[in-house]
Amino acid sequence: MNTSFFGELLQSISERGRALLERGRRPHAGAHSEDFIGLCEELLSGRGEASGVAMAREILVRYADLKTGPRVAFFEALAHRFGPDGRRLEAAIKVWGQNPSDASAAEVHLAAEPRRQELLRRLNLAPNGTALLVKMRAQLLEAMDHRDDLAVVDADFVHLFSSWFNRGFLVLRRIDWATPANILEKIIRHEAVHKIKSWDDLRRRIDPADRRCYAFFHPALVDEPLIFVEVALMRDIPGAIAPILMGQREILDPDRANTAVFYSISNCQRGLAGVTFGHFLIKQVVEEISREMPRLANFVTLSPAPGFAAWLKREREKEHSTVLTHEDHAALTALDAQGWWQVPERRAALQEPLMRAAAHYYLHARNARGLPVDPVARFHLGNGARLEQLDFLGDGSENGISQAYGLMVNYRYDLDDIEKNHEAFAEHRTIAVSNAVRKLARNAPAELVPLTAG
């Protein structure tokens, strides 16, 4: 798709419409029209395509100049002044009550839609409108840290973005050393799991024959990766991240590999948070690699456990924990010692109680909605993966120790079981788990899917 052509076309329409707008405005009519919110109302009132594109562009240009306070005021206006048209909705409901039909139901549906959704659609007509709206939503998320009343605006962004960034519009590209530098810079900047320290470090991750990197792109965001995954081709399921990231290592002939390891998945656009396409990325990469290397038998992750340390600290602070025995409590006090993971005797004493606690964390710890409290677990289990293996001291980095006492996790994507696992998790909150993990947990719940270890 020649996105630059369409961009230039929109720019041309916008410039022509801008001229029409300026010609049609009366000098004394300025107060309402020049007001920022007034411009939004004017855009919704309906004009010709050229003037509408120009006005959308003008609104987005003005928005970009807003400081934090006025920006939040704009979000407030979206929340409180651009909701559904109350009169139209009331009339539509009355007609539906008197004469239920497809037509009256459609009118109720249209009347119930917040006006801000149509405003966002029209703003999207501006040149580079989609990218600017993604950025706007990222700023909305920042404002929502202190303003719960803006959630209705965010819901409309998510609703529209879920359609605009539908899987059918996404393009999978392999990232390698021949990828343009401006894209590679964004891969370095947005790596959120295992920081890329330099260009040499990046090259070690994407250039060797046994390494792969894939990203999703959208035609409206040229050269802007949405999400990317880094893959290592290996002989076995790994239990630690260090051998994958190490600088000096023997490169494996891809023909000898039997395992593809997804060791890092990073989102690049905060404004698209909550718009789920990460699971599509994994499934499509599995299909892509399977076509290239049909001998591969295992597709697994090597994932962090970001909430484990905080959860275990809370359990240790309880006077009567239902998770930890008295012996476990005593053994886990060694976690308070500085550098415990570097002392062989302490490591050995901690491994068994720590892994039992980790198994309980993954199989039993749930949030108010009955889902696993660990966000990475929710992502992979919801996508149909199986909880395959818990890795003691899989990440000995400072971050790995602080967030999970070094724990890492392997989730397995078995193409024959993905749909079954997904349905069981979505409908019954059932976790697909290997026997190896289940044996670590005391009193494993009966509803776990009884799969054998891989």
Side-chain angles (χ1 to χ4, degrees):
M1 180 181 293
N2 190 340
T3 53
S4 62
F5 168 77
F6 289 108
E8 290 170 6
L9 182 61
L10 277 176
Q11 187 77 17
S12 174
I13 293 174
S14 175
E15 293 296 345
R16 249 181 272 160
R18 197 178 181 88
L20 287 171
L21 278 175
E22 294 303 324
R23 198 181 313 146
R25 287 197 180 179
R26 293 171 297 179
H28 62 276
H32 178 74
S33 297
E34 297 301 327
D35 175 76
F36 186 63
I37 302 301
L39 279 176
C40 294
E41 291 283 7
E42 212 172 329
L43 179 61
L44 278 176
S45 68
R47 283 174 171 263
E49 183 174 354
S51 58
V53 170
M55 189 173 292
R57 176 189 179 191
E58 185 174 348
I59 291 170
L60 290 177
V61 167
R62 290 191 183 198
Y63 172 83
D65 291 334
L66 295 179
K67 304 299 182 184
T68 302
R71 192 185 301 147
V72 173
F74 170 63
F75 294 144
E76 288 175 347
L78 290 181
H80 303 297
R81 295 177 54 178
F82 289 87
D85 183 330
R87 291 181 181 178
R88 181 183 177 187
L89 180 57
E90 185 177 353
I93 293 173
K94 184 176 180 180
V95 171
W96 160 257
Q98 296 171 346
N99 180 29
S101 66
D102 289 345
S104 60
E107 174 59 18
V108 171
H109 174 75
L110 291 173
E113 180 182 89
R115 295 169 63 237
R116 55 185 164 264
Q117 283 194 22
E118 181 60 22
L119 175 63
L120 294 175
R121 291 190 193 99
R122 297 192 184 196
L123 290 176
N124 194 44
L125 293 172
N128 203 32
T130 305
L132 294 172
L133 289 173
V134 169
K135 184 177 180 180
M136 182 187 292
R137 199 246 171 166
Q139 293 167 334
L140 171 64
L141 290 174
E142 291 178 8
M144 286 176 61
D145 290 341
H146 310 286
R147 296 291 303 271
D148 293 340
D149 61 314
L150 301 179
V152 291
V153 182
D154 186 57
D156 288 325
F157 270 102
V158 173
H159 173 75
L160 292 172
F161 285 172
S162 296
S163 298
W164 298 352
F165 290 87
N166 180 282
R167 170 64 192 91
F169 297 126
L170 304 183
V171 178
L172 183 72
R173 293 189 209 166
R174 181 174 171 184
I175 305 296
D176 55 29
W177 200 239
T179 299
N182 64 325
I183 296 178
L184 295 181
E185 287 175 344
K186 289 163 187 170
I187 298 295
I188 293 174
R189 184 165 69 250
H190 292 292
E191 164 58 72
V193 185
H194 304 291
K195 183 179 178 181
I196 299 175
K197 301 173 184 176
S198 64
W199 282 94
D200 288 338
D201 189 15
L202 174 66
R203 187 164 193 169
R204 286 192 292 267
R205 300 193 193 193
I206 65 175
D207 199 35
D210 60 351
R211 294 292 183 264
R212 298 287 190 278
C213 181
Y214 297 90
F216 265 150
F217 292 80
H218 189 279
L221 276 69
V222 181
D223 293 342
E224 286 286 346
L226 307 182
I227 185 173
F228 65 90
V229 59
E230 297 167 68
V231 186
L233 303 177
M234 305 186 73
R235 289 285 299 162
D236 300 293
I237 296 176
I241 190 62
I244 292 177
L245 299 180
M246 67 190 302
Q248 299 297 323
R249 64 176 182 82
E250 182 179 351
I251 296 175
L252 178 68
D253 183 344
D255 291 335
R256 297 180 57 228
N258 64 11
T259 302
V261 183
F262 305 90
Y263 66 90
S264 181
I265 301 173
S266 298
N267 286 296
C268 302
Q269 308 292 332
R270 195 192 176 203
L272 293 176
V275 181
T276 56
F277 38 64
H279 58 293
F280 292 122
L281 175 66
I282 291 177
K283 290 175 184 176
Q284 187 160 342
V285 170
V286 167
E287 294 172 2
E288 186 83 10
I289 296 179
S290 296
R291 284 194 294 269
E292 182 186 350
M293 291 167 283
R295 295 181 183 179
L296 289 176
N298 303 314
F299 298 92
V300 301
T301 75
L302 183 57
S303 301
F308 177 60
W311 172 85
L312 186 56
K313 286 177 182 177
R314 290 194 297 271
E315 287 297 327
R316 291 176 57 204
E317 291 168 357
K318 292 179 180 178
E319 187 174 352
H320 301 291
S321 171
T322 59
V323 177
L324 305 176
T325 65
H326 179 74
E327 292 77 12
D328 288 340
H329 263 296
L332 292 173
T333 58
L335 291 172
D336 300 327
Q338 187 70 26
W340 61 266
W341 62 95
Q342 298 168 329
V343 181
E345 295 80 8
R346 288 178 177 168
R347 285 202 307 265
L350 278 167
Q351 182 168 356
E352 187 176 337
L354 195 65
M355 296 300 281
R356 278 201 304 269
H360 188 101
Y361 170 70
Y362 279 100
L363 301 187
H364 295 266
R366 305 292 178 105
N367 62 20
R369 298 172 57 201
L371 297 169
V373 295
D374 189 89
V376 179
R378 290 197 299 270
F379 174 80
H380 289 296
L381 296 172
N383 291 339
R386 179 171 82 192
L387 180 60
E388 186 70 16
Q389 180 174 299
L390 303 180
D391 304 313
F392 179 68
L393 285 181
D395 184 359
S397 68
E398 181 179 349
N399 185 57
I401 296 296
S402 66
Q403 73 172 2
Y405 297 122
L407 179 73
M408 295 197 80
V409 185
N410 301 115
Y411 299 93
R412 179 191 289 268
Y413 282 86
D414 188 324
L415 295 179
D416 293 332
D417 293 327
I418 283 178
E419 294 304 324
K420 176 182 70 175
N421 294 345
H422 166 75
E423 292 297 330
F425 185 81
E427 294 182 12
H428 307 292
R429 304 294 191 252
T430 301
I431 296 174
V433 58
S434 69
N435 284 338
V437 174
R438 187 163 47 181
K439 288 175 183 177
L440 285 170
R442 292 190 177 98
N443 303 317
E447 71 269 16
L448 296 179
V449 175
L451 299 177
T452 59

